[in-house]
């Protein structure tokens, strides 16, 4: 990808669709050190060879990868993987690809994949933008999920937010016609940011009804996390946004 000059550090608004997706020193995540449990280590060492993927594997033939034709769901930043595991187990006829940079979460997910005998899930421990650009074919994904990404709440860090016009355009190219981009956040200001970016993005239609737009009620297929359940009891809000790719 051609490098383009980095914008002024004081910029806080969403970047235009022609802005570069990769810049030296600017990422939407921070690698945090953490101790690895025995199960997490087992996942990375013993289970990874069967279910792990890398950028070096190149562009995937997803039918060949999973050995079938099916709906395909990509989750970006799955954390410790609880939601993704639950979805893969509940929907065996759907194929899932998880992308996460943190080793403990990847290890835990893989350990659970093996223990539960799941075959419909593959994992990247890579930068999601690189995976989308280099590994996933255009028009191949049914749903892209982005649940509770880092909101980077300080204005000077807004340029680090993953939801930017260039990012959502990349997502659109990977979705099938009629495919959906599903976001969820517990930061109202970030939800408003997401809606602003998506409403301006070409080739998307909001799936929310007129009474709830731009947000949708939490769909039953998005598992309720323990953190989210605790937040609900305390009156904390969560905002879901689902946009459909238009033909």
């Amino acid at each position: 990808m051609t490098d383009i000059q980095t914008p002024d550090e004081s910029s806080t608004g969403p970047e235009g669709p022609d802005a570069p997706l990769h810049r030296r020193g600017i990422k939407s995540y921070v690698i945090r050190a953490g101790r690895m449990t025995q199960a997490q280590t087992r996942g990375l060492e013993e289970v990874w060879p069967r279910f792990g993927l890398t950028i070096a594997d190149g562009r995937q033939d997803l039918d060949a990868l999973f050995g079938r034709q099916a709906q395909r769901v990509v989750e970006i930043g799955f954390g410790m993987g609880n939601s993704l595991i639950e979805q893969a187990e509940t929907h065996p006829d759907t194929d899932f690809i998880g992308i996460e940079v943190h080793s403990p979460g990847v290890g835990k997910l893989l350990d659970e994949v093996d223990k539960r005998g799941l075959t419909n899930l593959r994992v990247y421990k890579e930068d999601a933008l690189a995976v989308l650009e280099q590994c996933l074919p255009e028009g191949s994904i049914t749903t892209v999920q982005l649940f509770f990404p880092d909101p980077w709440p300080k204005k000077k860090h807004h340029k680090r937010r993953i939801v930017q016009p260039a990012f959502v355009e990349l997502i659109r190219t990977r979705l099938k016609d009629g495919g959906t981009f599903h976001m969820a956040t517990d930061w109202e200001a970030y939800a408003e940011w997401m809606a602003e970016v998506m409403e301006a993005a070409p080739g998307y239609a909001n799936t929310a009804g007129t009474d709830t737009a731009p947000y949708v009620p939490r769909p039953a297929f998005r598992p309720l996390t323990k953190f989210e359940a605790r937040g609900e009891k305390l009156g904390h809000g969560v905002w879901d946004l689902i946009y459909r790719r238009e033909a």
Side-chain angles (χ1 to χ4, degrees), residues 106-123:
V106 174
K108 182 178 184 297
L109 179 90
L110 288 170
D111 181 63
E112 288 294 327
V113 165
D114 186 55
K115 287 178 178 177
R116 302 187 190 204
L118 302 179
T119 60
N120 61 331
L121 199 158
R122 299 293 185 274
V123 184

Side-chain angles (χ1 to χ4, degrees), residues 30 45 53 96 101-102 142 164 179-180 191 198 222 226 229 234:
V30 174
E45 294 180 352
L53 300 168
F96 294 83
V101 295
H102 299 286
T142 308
Q164 303 282 353
T180 55
M198 294 304 300
R222 180 174 73 74
K226 292 180 180 179
L234 295 172

Side-chain angles (χ1 to χ4, degrees), residues 67-217:
R68 64 179 182 178
Q69 293 183 335
Q71 293 191 1
R72 306 267 154 68
V73 175
V74 173
E75 182 163 334
I76 297 171
F78 57 74
M80 299 307 287
N82 297 324
S83 169
L84 189 53
I85 284 288
E86 183 175 337
Q87 291 177 78
E89 191 168 44
T90 304
H91 303 284
D93 294 334
T94 299
D95 295 330
F96 294 83
I97 297 173
I99 308 172
E100 175 59 63
V101 295
H102 299 286
S103 295
V106 174
K108 182 178 184 297
L109 179 90
L110 288 170
D111 181 63
E112 288 294 327
V113 165
D114 186 55
K115 287 178 178 177
R116 302 187 190 204
L118 302 179
T119 60
N120 61 331
L121 199 158
R122 299 293 185 274
V123 184
Y124 281 96
K125 194 169 85 70
E126 305 272 8
D127 185 314
L129 298 178
V131 173
L132 290 167
E133 290 176 330
Q134 301 176 41
C135 303
L136 301 183
E138 294 188 7
S140 64
I141 306 301
T142 308
T143 300
V144 174
Q145 299 177 163
L146 180 69
F147 297 156
F148 306 102
D150 193 326
W152 293 102
K154 294 182 180 179
K155 285 187 177 181
K156 66 180 181 179
H157 292 153
H158 284 183
K159 61 185 172 295
R160 294 183 179 272
R161 289 176 169 176
I162 192 170
V163 178
Q164 303 282 353
F167 172 71
V168 303
E169 171 58 19
L170 176 60
I171 294 290
R172 189 191 66 81
T173 66
R174 269 51 188 172
L175 289 173
K176 297 179 177 180
D177 289 342
T180 55
F181 180 26
H182 181 187
M183 295 167 282
T185 179
D186 56 349
W187 284 75
E188 185 173 11
Y190 197 15
E192 293 169 352
W193 171 289
M194 291 172 169
E196 176 186 348
V197 172
M198 294 304 300
E199 292 298 328
Y204 281 103
N206 193 337
T207 65
T210 55
D211 294 337
T212 61
Y215 311 114
V216 299

Side-chain angles (χ1 to χ4, degrees), residues 53-65:
L53 300 168
T54 69
I55 297 295
D57 295 327
R59 194 166 301 279
Q60 296 289 342
D61 178 336
L62 298 182
D63 289 349
L65 178 66

